[in-house]
Amino acid sequence: MGKLDGKKIVIIGDRDGIPGPAIEECIKTTGADVVFSSTECFV
């Protein structure tokens, strides 16, 4: 049982950094529940 097991996660990725879907794929392996994932442009 990991630290994120059963937790709900909100992901906001960066267009010029790490996009949301890439972070989401990593988080899914932890057992956490991704409730929102998005990639934004911060300028």
Side-chain angles (χ1 to χ4, degrees):
M1 190 165 165
K3 290 182 180 182
L4 297 178
D5 213 20
K7 301 285 184 178
K8 302 215 183 290
I9 304 292
V10 173
I11 298 170
I12 301 174
D14 184 23
R15 182 189 67 141
D16 295 328
I18 304 172
I23 300 169
E24 184 175 356
E25 288 302 314
C26 296
I27 293 295
K28 283 181 180 177
T29 64
T30 66
D33 180 28
V34 177
V35 294
F36 178 78
S37 177
S38 179
T39 300
E40 301 295 328
C41 179
F42 300 100
V43 287

